[in-house]
Amino acid sequence: MGVEEQVRNLVVGALTDLAGSGVLPSEVTSVTFSVERPKRPEHGDLATNAALAVQKAAKKPPREIATLLAERLGKEPDIRAVEIAGPGFLNLRLAPAIYQRVLGDVTAAGPAFGRGPAGLGERVLVEFVSANPTGPLLISHGRGAILGDAVATLLEATGHRVTREYYINDFGNQIRLLAASVLAVALGREPPEGGYGKNDYLEDLVAWLQKTSPELIADDKVEELARVCVSRMLDGVPGSKALPGIKKTLASLRIQFDGWYSEESLHRWGRVNAALAELQTRGYLEEREGALFFKSTDEGDDKDRVVKKRDGYFTYFASDIAYHADKINRGYDRLVNVLGADHHGYTARVRGALAALGLPKERFEVVLYQLVNLLRDGKPYKMGKRLGNLVTIEEVVDEIDEAARRKGAGADALRYFYLARRSDTTIDLDIELAKKASMDNPVFYLQYGYARLCSILRRAQEKFGLQVPRHTPALAARLEHPDELAILGRLGRFPAIVAEASALREPHRILFYLQELSQDFQSYFTRLKKDGDTILPLDAQMAEAGWQETWDRPKSEARLLWIEAIRTVYGAGLKLAGITALERMHKLEGEAVAAEAELGFGAEDAEGDPQPQASKKEAEAS
């Protein structure tokens, strides 16, 4: 339980005591109030507005209520001091024990710390990516893919039963144009109007078709050819770098879908006609100038929407109506769509259609994300090796992997850059920055923070034979440094951060938390070195006779347990973001030597890779 939650319970207990003794009415126990850190540290560790929040129910002035609460709270062993401020705020100074208890909570939960009980929440369907299967996934698609996966992961972490689904737009004019474009490349024709010109991935697709299904090209079987083309877009052309397949690309970002839903199947099984027939019966369809309109303005949309064009073809929106109705009919409590910012009007449109069908429109929500600007050395970068002015996810991931000499480095970089900002802000993704093995690269810095904790634990074992001890209250009581207590307070807030990020669909909150945790530890580490109060004995100290007698071994053990708790929470946060928790890191680039030394790493070896090297003096400081 976090420090804030512990204090909240103490305040609730005080209100309950006051109500039980007749000093305050019983209604005060059901009032909501806040417990938060003051903006200025000198005002205390935590503050609460409880006295102001309950004044109406209590029918007393807030300062009088604050005085009553202060008297009760002042008797609690976890509260060192209570001060009344302003109209009735309570500033609280806390005893170390309230922080130290967090260590036991983290240790007991392990990697599950921060997660809610599984399976007790809603059944949620998260639909994301759903890019037209007419080419490889581009770097712009990557943001929706990673954001959608992170939102789904957060929902799972807070107890919801989540299904990840990709909606395959395999019906309509766009797919017919793809097949016609393939035929044009194969037969040396001009591409159809609005189609796809000759490029690497179409040439690879044509070569594969000529080898495996030449009859589809020879006989101009457009419909059958279109279905085969869609399957190759999803599964890829064997050996093709230009067309590895949407599924493989997503897997390279560590994204796996539970379901792939075909738009064509909605028409084949009559679900679109059934949905439109229901709307017709309910009076929501109207024919105008040969087209069929859904009267979405009746449900709050800004204009009515075409569902069937004059040429008899259905619109995408007609499929969407049937698709989202089917989602609810499959028993989902919540439908979350992750879409680009250009879909800002989509929520009202779909909700209107669901309401018109008599379905609960409040179950549907949309998470919007802004564009990605690709940069190289801070300048716009628009050229791709395979697609002219289009850059694929493969290109960027492969380039970063190669620079880092580690498979997965590209996925880590994209996940960081796409999740480190609010989804409603535009992202500048600098390829050269993402490739750097230096503190300038924020994903490198983030992973370095985790590796550093691992390095300290390894050194403790290898040099002193110290394992991370089992938690005991007595051991936790050895953690008295203000920074140690403050970091325990931050660890205790992790479950609330996860719950908030999940509820608001804002994965960036997890990365903000990890950045602050890493900075807190760095500040602590630097302060210890200045004070000569190191986590483990220095080499110079060990050179003196009888150094074991002066070494406070229990204190070192307590700090190792504390570091293990930080590592546990840090790793849990990285896992939520889908970023690799590296226990060892590659050697820093030359311009980051000073930052490397500041981190205090000792020499490491991992499968022959070069590792961070610090000076003997700096290595001792760990």
Side-chain angles (χ1 to χ4, degrees):
M1 185 184 299
V3 173
E4 288 83 354
E5 288 81 6
Q6 293 183 62
V7 169
R8 182 180 299 280
N9 288 344
L10 293 177
V11 176
V12 170
L15 288 170
T16 302
D17 287 346
L18 291 168
S21 60
V23 177
L24 294 178
S26 60
E27 288 80 5
V28 300
T29 60
S30 59
V31 175
T32 301
F33 57 89
S34 67
V35 176
E36 55 191 20
R37 287 169 293 164
K39 293 182 179 179
R40 297 171 62 178
E42 61 267 26
H43 289 166
D45 300 313
L46 289 177
T48 179
N49 69 341
L52 289 94
V54 305
Q55 62 176 311
K56 185 175 181 180
K59 299 181 175 60
K60 290 181 182 292
R63 281 192 69 90
E64 182 179 339
I65 302 168
T67 300
L68 294 170
L69 285 173
E71 182 182 352
R72 291 294 198 285
L73 292 171
K75 298 176 181 178
E76 295 288 344
D78 287 338
I79 306 294
R80 291 192 295 113
V82 185
E83 300 169 359
I84 300 173
F89 292 101
L90 292 175
N91 292 334
L92 309 174
R93 300 183 190 280
L94 308 178
I98 201 168
Y99 294 97
Q100 293 159 356
R101 278 195 290 274
V102 174
L103 184 64
D105 294 340
V106 177
T107 302
F113 185 73
R115 301 182 70 91
L120 299 183
E122 297 179 317
R123 284 194 68 210
V124 185
L125 190 149
V126 183
E127 182 213 330
F128 56 109
V129 189
S130 298
N132 286 338
T134 53
L137 292 181
L138 306 179
I139 198 67
S140 55
H141 296 127
R143 186 172 193 184
I146 290 170
L147 175 62
D149 187 58
V151 167
T153 300
L154 284 169
L155 287 166
E156 289 171 332
T158 47
H160 300 289
R161 292 159 291 167
V162 178
T163 298
R164 293 165 170 82
E165 189 160 279
Y166 189 116
Y167 180 59
I168 308 167
N169 300 111
D170 57 350
F171 183 87
N173 191 51
Q174 207 65 19
I175 300 303
R176 289 190 291 272
L177 283 173
L178 172 63
S181 300
V182 167
L183 285 173
V185 172
L187 302 175
R189 304 172 181 169
E190 286 296 313
E193 184 178 354
Y196 304 87
K198 188 175 182 180
N199 56 51
D200 288 354
Y201 78 83
L202 280 187
E203 288 186 335
D204 285 359
L205 178 56
V206 167
W208 184 84
L209 287 168
Q210 289 172 332
K211 184 185 299 183
T212 60
S213 307
E215 71 281 359
L216 295 181
I217 295 174
D219 297 338
D220 278 14
K221 296 180 179 179
V222 175
E223 294 298 326
E224 188 177 347
L225 176 61
R227 288 195 294 272
V228 173
C229 289
V230 168
S231 72
R232 284 307 99 202
M233 292 296 171
L234 295 173
D235 297 335
V237 169
S240 171
K241 290 186 176 181
L243 196 60
I246 289 172
K247 293 181 179 179
K248 182 179 178 182
T249 297
L250 292 170
S252 74
L253 298 178
R254 308 184 190 111
I255 297 171
Q256 297 289 340
F257 281 88
D258 303 300
W260 298 76
Y261 197 107
S262 163
E263 179 187 3
E264 187 272 335
S265 72
L266 288 168
H267 294 271
R268 178 163 28 97
W269 297 109
R271 290 194 173 96
V272 175
N273 280 326
L276 296 185
E278 180 67 18
L279 290 174
Q280 184 76 63
T281 300
R282 292 171 173 266
Y284 279 95
L285 295 187
E286 184 177 280
E287 189 171 340
R288 303 174 196 165
E289 299 178 358
L292 192 61
F293 282 78
F294 165 55
K295 295 190 289 184
S296 56
T297 51
D298 291 355
E299 293 295 336
D301 199 2
D302 58 346
K303 66 178 182 179
D304 293 340
R305 305 290 173 174
V306 178
V307 292
K308 196 172 187 178
K309 296 180 286 186
R310 286 192 295 268
D311 58 11
Y313 286 113
F314 291 107
T315 63
Y316 285 121
F317 184 53
S319 301
D320 287 345
I321 294 172
Y323 176 44
H324 288 90
D326 181 67
K327 288 181 181 181
I328 289 181
N329 289 332
R330 282 187 270 158
Y332 288 102
D333 305 306
R334 177 89 36 206
L335 316 178
V336 180
N337 284 20
V338 179
L339 300 168
D342 55 334
H343 290 78
H344 58 86
Y346 194 72
T347 305
R349 197 176 314 165
V350 173
R351 282 186 171 177
L354 292 174
L357 288 168
L359 299 172
K361 67 179 183 180
E362 67 278 359
R363 295 189 188 182
F364 176 72
E365 64 178 83
V366 170
V367 178
L368 296 175
Y369 61 90
Q370 283 289 348
L371 300 175
V372 176
N373 296 322
L374 201 61
L375 309 177
R376 191 177 289 279
D377 287 327
K379 299 177 181 178
Y381 171 60
K382 297 181 180 180
M383 294 302 293
K385 292 180 291 185
R386 302 174 189 151
L387 301 177
N389 65 342
L390 299 177
V391 183
T392 68
I393 291 173
E394 261 77 22
E395 286 184 58
V396 175
V397 167
D398 289 349
E399 185 173 346
I400 297 174
D401 281 356
E402 184 178 349
R405 292 180 296 148
R406 177 177 67 85
K407 188 71 174 175
D412 287 336
L414 288 187
R415 279 187 166 270
Y416 176 86
F417 282 102
Y418 284 164
L419 295 178
R421 300 282 300 276
R422 292 175 57 97
S423 62
D424 59 1
T425 59
T426 301
I427 288 176
D428 291 331
L429 173 58
D430 192 321
I431 301 298
E432 295 304 317
L433 176 62
K435 288 162 56 178
K436 283 186 175 181
S438 77
M439 292 304 140
D440 294 333
N441 180 353
V443 66
F444 188 93
Y445 179 84
L446 190 71
Q447 291 176 308
Y448 213 59
Y450 181 84
R452 181 173 193 228
L453 297 167
C454 297
S455 177
I456 293 172
L457 295 175
R458 276 195 303 274
R459 184 170 185 268
Q461 181 178 359
E462 293 168 1
K463 197 155 191 174
F464 301 94
L466 287 179
Q467 301 280 352
V468 175
R470 295 183 63 181
H471 171 268
T472 65
L475 197 62
R478 301 301 301 266
L479 299 169
E480 298 176 316
H481 192 286
D483 288 357
E484 291 166 353
L485 299 178
I487 289 177
L488 284 173
R490 188 177 294 282
L491 297 185
R493 287 192 289 277
F494 183 64
I497 294 292
V498 175
E500 189 175 57
S502 174
L504 298 175
R505 321 299 190 231
E506 294 184 344
H508 70 271
R509 292 175 180 268
I510 301 298
L511 291 183
F512 283 7
Y513 173 88
L514 293 179
Q515 289 163 350
E516 291 169 351
L517 181 59
S518 180
Q519 290 163 4
D520 284 352
F521 185 80
Q522 168 63 23
S523 175
Y524 162 81
F525 194 81
T526 301
R527 189 171 289 121
L528 281 193
K529 287 195 293 183
K530 287 182 179 179
D531 297 343
D533 179 20
T534 54
I535 297 170
L536 295 169
L538 302 178
D539 286 347
Q541 179 184 349
M542 294 167 61
E544 298 176 4
W547 67 271
Q548 293 92 338
E549 284 72 30
T550 62
W551 174 28
D552 190 344
R553 184 185 179 103
K555 187 174 184 179
S556 290
E557 290 178 335
R559 284 175 166 173
L560 291 178
L561 180 61
W562 175 74
I563 288 171
E564 173 64 15
I566 299 172
R567 190 179 77 97
T568 296
V569 175
Y570 208 121
L574 289 172
K575 186 174 182 180
L576 287 173
I579 296 173
T580 308
L582 295 173
E583 296 189 1
R584 301 173 188 268
M585 295 287 288
H586 286 293
K587 186 178 177 66
L588 288 164
E589 294 175 355
E591 67 269 21
V593 169
E596 168 197 346
E598 185 181 4
L599 286 174
F601 267 93
E604 300 290 351
D605 288 314
E607 301 176 349
D609 290 333
Q611 300 300 322
Q613 302 289 325
S615 67
K616 181 178 180 181
K617 179 180 178 181
E618 294 295 336
E620 289 176 356
S622 68

